[in-house]
């Protein structure tokens, strides 16, 4: 019989390699988003060979999106961090942890507990997070322990706490299947929470009466599922919900009984909302009165409504109020805590929720206790038997880096996040890391933009090696299992923290196995809880190692009978037991446009990349969807600025600049542009979009305003444009470059201000191996091709205009054993083999390209299902289905025009 999981025997001293198990399936969870899908890993002869969704996991019931499907490709040992380093030199663990312990002790002794800080991540496991938080708050005695969740969830958290008295997400995924109206606001779920999106899509197929309204200034892939799209002026969402509350009051849409019995401060809240007539909302949000009215009518008349929100709401200088305005409308209408209803904040990272539960942020305690509450502090201290407890909230991410810059924080330990790329205002973050005397970075990769500033670098186990639990967006706790042995000398994050803690003389960190941390933490959630907080995991009980290894996904609150709805008795976690309304005055973004910077820059995610690409960047297949960074601009702006699609353009803000290819599209509104967040210094010279944002934050949550900054845009005029294929990676020192991975190497686009580069010479200098070189020069093009034993090793072009070469063709040539004279000739003349002119790869699972899809559409395959039957596209993970629908819309019309033209 096949085991349904592989236990990993992890101890502080050694690890048992789970791959000793031969042919079997190991179960764990996906490394990426907050949907928290279960994955089955198939092992053959101890090697992970295939991945599929776990059929029984309640988050995904067997489905996986494109990122999940390609997870195994990210497990390469290339560029893995495998040994600890001090100042760039490999050292033993013993030395590294000694040094950290000494430095922290010394810093705390000389400058006090608040001179040290931890900067953590929603990609840590709950157990890692728990010990890090215990270390700082209970033993160092400072609450300077913050996390990248500050950039992600903190506004949602602040609003839930303000409204419910506790950080409770009051919905489940199954609610999405039972609702009448789903408002998707500030989320591009089609790309960012794809498996959830597919659940919604299916729910709508089963119940076509279900209405979906998308509210996003951009027309994103998520529009495919929506009955209506409200492309509002960015930053104006709170007005929509204020106006809604007013409308509900005017048209008998209030649940007076619920308001009366279970809430407080409604009148104050309504008084503010009263000022928002439909007309005022429409003009504030730059929408039509009729668009607003029909949304409000839908809300009023639908018995069950969900507002599904994410970064378009949270990442704002008024994010907490925006979330609160959403909660206000649901409280007022009583449309929450019932099936198919509620204000549903969707978490981004795989364990953002776990981090919130253990109190991983600087203004929280642990187990949903309040750091400002002396009784809570005392309870936690007693439970931990810790020498101290932080007496006040610590610094939030942006302020924490500011205090590094000003010298108050002298030691920081960064784990599982890449702040140089993800925090706003890169110049400030650079100064902060340079100024900080001790920068410790725990990561899995050998290179990222933050590691460059570390004095001490620690190699950590990554996905499939690390072992613990995660909590997803609907409060389901799942095991993330360590199914393969660790690379090199890597250790788990919790192990490293515990080793340092012990060296510092702290006595609460003597765990032999990760399940002991889990047991301690779940017991703490129940300690003196007495029903005062929904987060009580004590019913899970003390688990043995094998029970822990076998732990099935569990949604909390954990109750007999399996109903895990929250606040069933309508007793909220506030001191009065009532939910709190809070009046909201809509505020516009702080980083506004000006004469100097007239255009709004929005930022967000792509379908096939994850954050700063340290993982998805390892998969050639995931690169294929979007090879190079781009900026979306509206056609009217493009005309004014004389920009055409594909031109290199520069966006400059008051803090920095980016350069990328223009994508001219009417999916962004006039006066706005959009850039994906994923490119770091490792992948492009000028595409770090966060550098454009100022350190502007929400006053309550401290969340940065990462969706709205002001830029000016101009076209770049380079003297020379180049294109390279190389089998190995190089440091390209030119004015502009970006690179993408193909299966046997890298492709670069580059550009230079100066003329006169001799390409062959330049490449020969970069490459140490000896190759056979072919060269072709014309008045406008230099081409070189290098081979070794018939294999293609390098291709380069330089011209005064951008050189377009099909990457699949190069990929194909790079993997063939020999290249024909005809292909060499084509290479030298930069003429792609016509069979490869396929357009972009739309379906990553079956490698289906735009050209064949368009041909099939023109042949009459006019639905996603028909395209799937013909070409297989969209039939595996389904992540490309929205793009297929968009192609059908565009090209079915084209065919219509073609026919029309023929008839004429
Ligand atoms: N493929 C992929 N999936 C991911 C991730 C990833 O890196 N890649 N990251 C994960 C993480 S950590 C997170 S936090 C989530 C984020 O998930 P999402 O929030 O869905 O993703 P984003 O693309 O950041 O932003 C969502 C949308 O907000 C819109 N927006 C901008 N300003 C406004 C506004 O003022 N109002 C409204 N209503 N909308 C606005 C943007 O146009 C964008 O389409 O994704 C998770 N999933
Ligand atoms: N302008 C703009 N900025 C944004 C956003 C935006 O939409 N616009 N989104 C924000 C949001 S929502 C988020 S969540 C952040 C994400 O931003 P980051 O958290 O900075 O991005 P990641 O690339 O996920 O960084 C994770 C790092 O941890 C490493 N790592 C992975 N697993 C582990 C582990 O188990 N242990 C350790 N120690 N290391 C590990 C990875 O190699 C990588 O270097 O970006 C934020 N910044
Ligand atoms: S939706 Fe995709 S990225 Fe998110 S957890 Fe599921 S498989 Fe992973
Ligand atoms: Mo996030």
């Amino acid at each position: 019989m096949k085991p349904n999981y592989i236990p990993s025997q992890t101890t502080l001293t050694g690890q048992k390699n789970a791959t000793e198990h031969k042919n079997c399936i190991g179960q764990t969870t996906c490394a990426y988003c907050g949907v928290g899908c279960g994955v089955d890993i198939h092992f053959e002869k101890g090697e992970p060979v295939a991945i599929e969704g776990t059929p029984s996991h309640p988050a995904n019931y067997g489905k996986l999106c494109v990122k999940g499907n390609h997870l195994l490709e990210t497990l390469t040992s290339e560029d893995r961090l495998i040994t600890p380093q001090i100042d760039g030199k490999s050292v033993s663990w013993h030395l590294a942890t000694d040094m950290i312990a000494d430095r922290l002790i010394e810093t705390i002794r000389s400058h006090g507990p608040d001179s040290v800080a931890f900067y953590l991540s929603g990609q840590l496991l709950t157990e890692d997070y728990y010990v890090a938080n215990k270390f700082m708050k209970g033993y160092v005695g400072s609450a300077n322990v913050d996390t990248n969740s500050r950039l992600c969830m903190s506004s949602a958290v602040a609003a839930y706490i303000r409204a419910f008295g506790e950080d409770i997400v009051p919905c489940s995924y199954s609610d999405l299947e039972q609702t009448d109206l789903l408002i998707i606001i500030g989320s591009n779920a089609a790309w960012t929470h794809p498996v959830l999106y597919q659940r919604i899509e299916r729910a709508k197929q089963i119940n076509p009466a279900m209405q979906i309204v998308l509210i996003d200034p951009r027309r994103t892939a998520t529009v495919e599922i929506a009955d209506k799209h409200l492309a509002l002026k960015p930053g104006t969402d709170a007005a929509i919900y204020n106006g809604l509350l007013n409308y509900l009051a005017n048209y008998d849409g209030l649940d007076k009984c619920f308001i009366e019995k279970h809430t407080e401060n409604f009148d104050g809240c309504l008084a503010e909302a009263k000022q928002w007539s439909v007309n005022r909302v429409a003009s504030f949000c730059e929408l039509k009165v009729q668009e607003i009215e029909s949304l409000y009518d839908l809300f009023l008349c639908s018995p069950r409504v969900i507002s599904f929100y994410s970064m378009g709401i949270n990442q704002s200088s008024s994010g907490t109020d925006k979330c609160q305005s959403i909660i206000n409308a649901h409280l007022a209408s009583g449309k929450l805590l019932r099936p198919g209803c509620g204000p549903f904040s969707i978490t981004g990272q795989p364990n953002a929720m776990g981090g919130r539960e253990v109190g991983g942020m600087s203004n929280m305690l642990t187990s949903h206790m309040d750091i400002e509450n002396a009784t809570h502090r005392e309870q936690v201290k007693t439970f931990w038997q810790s020498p101290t407890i932080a007496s006040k909230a610590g610094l939030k991410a942006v302020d924490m880096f500011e205090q590094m810059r000003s010298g108050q924080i002298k030691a920081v330990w960064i784990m599982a996040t890449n702040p140089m790329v993800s925090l706003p205002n890169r110049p400030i973050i650079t100064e902060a890391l340079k100024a900080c005397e001790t920068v410790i970075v725990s990561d899995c990769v050998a290179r990222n933009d933050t590691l460059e500033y570390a004095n001490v670098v620690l190699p950590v186990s990554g996905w499939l090696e690390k072992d613990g639990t995660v909590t997803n967006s609907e409060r389901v706790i799942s095991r993330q299992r360590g199914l393969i042995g660790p690379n090199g000398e890597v250790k788990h994050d919790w192990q490293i923290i515990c080793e340092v803690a012990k060296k510092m003389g702290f006595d609460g960190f003597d765990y032999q196995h990760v399940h002991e941390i889990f047991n301690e933490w779940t017991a703490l959630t129940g300690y003196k809880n007495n029903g005062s907080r929904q987060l009580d995991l004590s019913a899970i009980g003390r688990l043995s190692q094998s029970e822990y290894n076998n732990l099935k996904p569990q949604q909390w609150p954990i109750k007999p009978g399996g109903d895990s709805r929250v606040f069933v008795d309508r007793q909220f976690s506030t001191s009065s037991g009532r939910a709190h309304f809070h009046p909201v005055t809509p505020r516009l973004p702080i980083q506004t446009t000006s004469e100097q910077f007239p255009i709004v820059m929005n930022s967000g995610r792509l379908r096939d990349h994850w954050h700063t690409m340290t993982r998805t960047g390892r998969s050639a297949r995931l690169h294929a969807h979007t090879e190079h960074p781009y900026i979306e601009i509206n056609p009217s702006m493009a005309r004014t600025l004389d920009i055409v699609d594909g031109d290199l353009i520069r966006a400059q803000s008051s803090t920095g600049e980016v350069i990328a290819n223009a994508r001219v599209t009417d999916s962004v509104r006039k006066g706005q542009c959009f850039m994906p967040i994923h490119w770091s210094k490792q992948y492009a010279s000028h595409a770090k979009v966060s550098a454009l944002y100022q350190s502007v934050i929400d006053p309550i949550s401290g969340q940065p305003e990462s969706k709205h900054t002001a830029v000016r845009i101009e076209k770049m005029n380079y003297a020379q444009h180049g294109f390279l294929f190389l089998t190995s990676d190089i440091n390209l020192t030119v004015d502009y470059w970006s690179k993408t991975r193909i299966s046997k190497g890298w492709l670069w686009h580059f550009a230079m201000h100066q003329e006169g580069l001799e390409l062959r010479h330049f490449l020969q200098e970069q490459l140490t191996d000896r190759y056979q070189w072919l060269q072709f020069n014309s008045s406008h093009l230099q081409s070189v091709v290098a081979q070794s034993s018939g294999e293609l090793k390098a291709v380069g072009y330089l011209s005064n205009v951008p050189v377009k070469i099909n990457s699949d063709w190069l990929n194909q040539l790079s993997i063939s054993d020999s290249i024909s004279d005809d292909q060499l000739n084509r290479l030298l003349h930069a003429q792609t083999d016509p069979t490869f002119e396929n357009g972009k790869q739309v379906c990553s699972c079956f490698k289906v390209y735009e050209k064949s899809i368009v041909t099939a559409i023109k042949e009459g395959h006019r639905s996603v299902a028909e395209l799937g039957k013909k070409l297989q596209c969209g039939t595996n993970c389904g992540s490309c289905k929205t793009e297929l629908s968009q192609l059908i819309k565009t090209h079915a019309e084209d065919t219509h025009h073609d026919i029309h033209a023929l008839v004429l």
Side-chain angles (χ1 to χ4, degrees):
M1 201 181 83
K2 287 177 182 173
N4 70 347
Y5 76 96
I6 300 175
S8 122
Q9 313 280 330
T10 311
T11 65
L12 265 175
T13 46
Q15 310 225 0
K16 186 161 185 278
N17 186 340
T19 61
E20 284 165 19
H21 298 259
K22 297 282 186 264
N23 296 356
C24 58
I25 295 174
Q27 288 192 325
T28 182
T29 41
C30 174
Y32 300 117
C33 83
V35 179
C37 299
V39 294
D40 283 3
I41 312 286
H42 293 253
F43 285 86
E44 264 173 36
K45 300 195 183 102
E47 288 295 314
V49 291
I51 184 166
E52 56 188 5
T54 304
S56 58
H57 197 287
N60 57 318
Y61 297 108
K63 290 293 268 181
L64 288 184
C65 79
V66 59
K67 292 188 303 304
N69 261 313
H70 292 99
L71 263 167
L72 295 184
E73 287 164 38
T74 66
L75 291 177
T76 94
S77 55
E78 178 192 326
D79 260 346
R80 260 311 284 274
L81 191 60
I82 44 173
T83 55
Q85 289 163 22
I86 296 178
D87 296 330
K89 293 196 183 66
S90 291
V91 295
S92 67
W93 271 110
H94 183 63
L95 211 66
T97 46
D98 263 0
M99 158 142 171
I100 297 170
D102 288 350
R103 287 274 186 113
L104 294 182
I105 289 170
E106 178 52 28
T107 311
I108 295 164
R109 200 179 51 76
S110 312
H111 307 283
D114 288 336
S115 64
V116 300
F118 278 3
Y119 186 55
L120 312 176
S121 160
Q123 290 164 74
L124 291 172
L125 302 179
T126 301
E127 292 78 357
D128 303 318
Y129 237 131
Y130 175 81
V131 290
N133 193 48
K134 179 177 176 183
F135 181 114
M136 277 304 276
K137 291 185 183 145
Y139 289 76
V140 174
S142 166
N144 283 346
V145 42
D146 214 42
T147 137
N148 64 359
S149 288
R150 186 67 61 196
L151 322 178
C152 182
M153 309 306 322
S154 57
S155 294
V157 172
Y160 280 141
I161 295 177
R162 191 162 71 178
F164 303 148
E166 186 174 353
D167 175 21
I168 296 291
V169 179
C171 305
S172 298
Y173 299 160
S174 60
D175 288 320
L176 297 166
E177 287 150 357
Q178 299 173 60
T179 194
D180 303 303
L181 169 63
L182 177 65
I183 303 173
I184 302 181
I185 180 161
S187 147
N188 181 16
W191 282 8
T192 54
H193 297 96
V195 167
L196 216 44
Y197 177 87
Q198 289 176 28
R199 274 179 83 160
I200 298 168
E201 194 179 33
R202 198 177 133 76
K204 191 164 163 69
Q205 280 165 357
I206 292 169
N207 172 21
M210 170 184 176
Q211 291 292 297
I212 301 179
V213 178
L214 173 69
I215 306 180
D216 191 312
R218 284 195 308 147
R219 198 179 63 242
T220 61
T222 304
V223 85
E224 283 310 313
I225 207 181
D227 298 284
K228 291 193 180 71
H229 173 210
L230 271 52
L232 83 177
K233 178 181 170 183
T236 60
D237 307 77
I240 298 220
Y241 275 84
N242 262 12
L244 172 61
L245 183 55
N246 186 19
Y247 195 86
L248 294 173
N250 291 339
Y251 292 96
D252 200 18
L254 300 178
D255 185 340
K256 291 190 178 127
C257 177
F258 180 83
I259 296 172
E260 180 70 22
K261 278 173 67 184
H262 301 300
T263 71
E264 56 193 42
N265 201 22
F266 176 65
D267 293 343
C269 185
L270 184 63
E272 174 61 42
K274 279 277 168 212
Q275 304 183 30
W276 291 89
S277 66
V278 170
N279 282 334
R280 185 173 173 207
V281 174
S283 90
F284 189 78
C285 302
E286 296 179 357
L287 291 167
K288 294 193 190 93
V289 168
Q290 192 267 330
E291 287 176 299
I292 301 286
E293 249 168 8
S294 71
L295 170 70
Y296 291 178
D297 271 337
L298 272 175
F299 195 106
L300 182 75
C301 301
S302 305
R304 298 167 301 182
V305 185
I306 290 177
S307 299
F308 179 106
Y309 55 102
S310 192
M311 293 310 123
I313 295 295
N314 296 350
Q315 287 173 341
S316 153
S317 52
S318 58
T320 308
D321 278 351
K322 284 184 184 164
C323 296
Q324 178 83 47
S325 72
I326 294 173
I327 297 172
N328 285 343
H330 282 271
L331 281 173
S333 56
K335 289 175 182 166
L336 78 172
L337 312 180
R338 288 194 277 116
C341 290
F344 199 171
S345 146
I346 299 298
T347 49
Q349 297 178 90
N351 198 31
M353 289 288 265
R356 287 153 70 165
E357 291 160 4
V358 300
M361 288 202 263
S362 63
N363 54 331
M364 295 173 147
L365 199 46
T366 179
S367 316
H368 287 184
M369 283 187 252
D370 181 2
I371 196 160
E372 308 293 346
N373 179 322
T375 315
H376 285 178
R377 289 199 303 267
E378 205 44 48
Q379 280 170 7
V380 174
K381 183 170 177 274
T382 310
F383 182 89
W384 278 342
Q385 298 179 318
S386 60
T388 178
I389 190 81
S391 59
K392 57 177 195 314
L395 293 165
K396 303 188 176 101
V398 167
D399 295 334
M400 185 182 273
F401 279 79
E402 189 49 50
Q403 288 216 359
M404 278 177 224
R405 192 166 79 114
S406 61
Q408 281 128 292
I409 290 187
K410 300 190 182 293
V412 66
W413 191 345
I414 297 168
M415 298 178 211
T417 177
N418 193 358
M420 279 293 293
V421 190
S422 50
L423 272 167
N425 212 335
R426 187 171 170 112
I428 298 275
I429 305 305
T430 314
E431 285 176 27
L433 290 176
K434 277 188 184 159
C436 190
E437 287 165 13
T438 307
V439 177
I440 307 152
V441 178
S442 300
D443 209 292
C444 315
V445 296
R447 279 190 292 171
N448 76 20
D449 294 16
T450 305
L451 281 159
E452 285 178 25
Y453 295 88
N455 315 105
V456 189
V457 166
L458 304 171
V460 180
S461 56
W463 179 78
L464 223 57
E465 299 165 348
K466 61 182 182 175
D467 199 44
T469 54
V470 289
T471 310
N472 73 4
S473 285
E474 61 161 359
R475 311 183 310 276
V476 169
I477 297 174
S478 299
R479 283 282 277 116
Q480 198 171 101
R481 295 191 174 95
L483 301 177
I484 59 173
N487 242 289
E489 295 174 29
V490 306
K491 289 184 189 253
H492 301 313
D493 283 289
W494 68 267
Q495 289 178 324
I496 308 167
I497 300 162
C498 291
E499 277 182 32
V500 171
K502 282 188 271 185
K503 288 192 174 175
M504 290 175 72
F506 300 160
D507 56 8
F509 296 86
D510 204 11
Y511 309 104
Q512 295 306 308
H513 185 272
V514 67
H515 81 281
E516 295 164 9
I517 307 175
F518 183 79
N519 283 341
E520 180 180 314
W521 137 243
T522 49
L524 174 53
T525 60
Y527 182 65
K528 305 220 165 153
N529 185 332
N530 302 324
S532 60
R533 295 178 301 277
Q534 299 282 302
L535 177 64
D536 183 347
L537 306 173
S538 54
I540 295 179
R542 273 192 78 77
L543 300 181
S544 67
Q545 191 170 325
S546 96
E547 284 167 337
Y548 177 75
N549 281 335
N550 270 311
L551 190 71
K552 295 259 177 308
Q554 304 246 354
Q555 189 178 34
W556 64 263
I558 297 157
K559 289 186 205 139
D563 177 11
S564 33
R565 294 213 156 264
V566 290
F567 302 128
V568 268
D569 53 2
R570 305 299 183 256
Q571 275 295 304
F572 292 90
S573 306
T574 53
S575 49
S576 61
R578 288 164 175 266
H580 288 233
F581 281 98
H582 193 90
V584 168
T585 309
R587 282 173 283 138
L588 288 171
I590 292 174
Q591 298 170 77
T592 47
T593 53
S594 60
E595 215 172 295
Q596 205 188 356
F597 301 112
I599 299 160
V600 171
M601 171 63 89
N602 177 0
S603 63
R605 286 151 174 84
L606 289 178
R607 196 190 76 183
D608 291 6
H609 274 305
W610 176 261
H611 295 171
T612 71
M613 284 197 217
T614 61
R615 286 182 283 177
T616 49
R618 291 159 174 261
S619 159
R621 283 231 239 180
L622 294 177
H623 273 276
H625 182 252
T626 313
E627 293 180 354
H628 296 282
Y630 64 83
I631 303 173
E632 285 181 352
I633 62 170
N634 180 277
S636 79
M637 190 202 307
R639 270 192 302 276
T640 317
L641 298 172
D642 192 27
I643 292 167
V644 297
D645 203 73
D647 278 351
L648 280 176
I649 58 173
R650 170 159 65 191
Q652 281 177 297
S653 77
S654 61
T655 55
E657 64 172 40
V658 292
I659 300 170
N661 293 108
R663 264 204 196 171
V664 180
T665 165
D666 64 1
S667 64
V668 285
R669 290 167 50 121
K670 275 189 192 160
Q672 291 181 19
C673 57
F674 171 85
M675 188 168 177
I677 59 171
H678 306 289
W679 277 268
S680 68
K681 194 179 149 185
Q682 314 300 321
Y683 287 94
S685 59
H686 287 81
K688 302 162 285 277
V689 70
S690 303
L692 299 177
Y693 292 79
Q694 296 169 31
S695 322
V696 166
I697 54 170
D698 176 286
I700 301 161
S701 67
Q703 178 149 0
E705 187 176 70
S706 306
K707 289 270 181 271
H708 200 280
T709 185
V711 296
R712 64 168 168 264
I713 287 200
E714 65 184 325
K715 180 169 162 170
M716 295 300 287
N717 290 306
Y718 289 103
Q720 302 212 71
H721 294 262
F723 182 99
L724 288 182
F725 156 71
L726 296 175
T727 45
S728 53
D729 202 359
I730 55 162
N731 269 336
L732 197 59
T733 42
V734 287
D735 297 315
Y736 167 86
W737 61 269
S738 86
K739 73 176 183 192
T740 191
R741 189 188 283 272
I742 57 173
S743 46
K744 265 221 170 152
W746 296 92
L747 301 180
W748 280 263
H749 282 175
F750 68 93
M752 303 169 80
H753 291 298
Q754 293 260 311
E755 289 192 7
L757 180 83
E758 212 278 297
L759 186 62
R760 175 167 165 183
H761 180 71
F762 173 75
L763 280 179
Q764 276 177 326
E765 269 185 353
Q766 308 272 341
L767 303 168
T768 41
D769 294 331
R770 290 175 69 85
Y771 298 134
Q772 296 152 280
W773 292 86
L774 291 170
Q775 187 168 351
F776 168 81
N777 281 358
S778 71
S779 56
H780 65 279
L781 179 72
Q782 290 182 47
S783 328
V784 291
V785 174
Q787 290 172 281
S788 166
S789 315
E791 277 180 35
L792 193 63
K793 292 293 178 186
V795 178
Y797 301 102
L798 199 62
S799 170
N800 50 355
V801 290
V803 186
K804 291 200 177 88
I805 296 288
N806 183 286
S807 33
D808 285 303
W809 180 48
L810 278 180
N811 197 27
Q812 177 66 36
L813 293 176
S814 73
I815 52 181
S816 34
D817 302 335
S818 66
I819 296 172
S820 69
D821 287 349
D822 177 48
Q823 297 288 26
L824 276 178
N825 209 21
R826 282 190 175 283
L827 274 176
L828 284 171
H829 289 85
Q831 289 166 350
T832 296
D833 184 330
T835 49
F836 280 86
E837 291 297 7
N838 290 331
K840 135 182 178 193
Q841 180 178 304
V842 177
C843 171
S844 307
C845 297
F846 294 111
K847 285 194 157 222
V848 188
Y849 292 87
E850 192 170 337
K851 188 178 167 195
S852 39
I853 296 166
V854 172
T855 310
I857 295 168
K858 293 196 170 166
E859 284 166 7
H861 302 273
R862 299 287 168 79
S863 71
V864 174
E866 283 177 52
L867 286 175
K869 259 190 214 140
K870 180 160 170 72
L871 303 169
Q872 281 190 295
C873 49
T875 56
N876 184 36
C877 77
S879 292
C880 63
K881 279 173 24 188
T882 52
E883 278 157 287
L884 294 175
S885 318
Q886 278 162 350
L887 285 172
I888 293 168
K889 275 191 198 140
T890 316
H891 295 286
E893 273 170 30
D894 277 2
T895 323
H896 177 77
H897 292 315
D898 292 349
I899 294 166
H900 196 61
L902 271 179
V903 172
L904 282 178

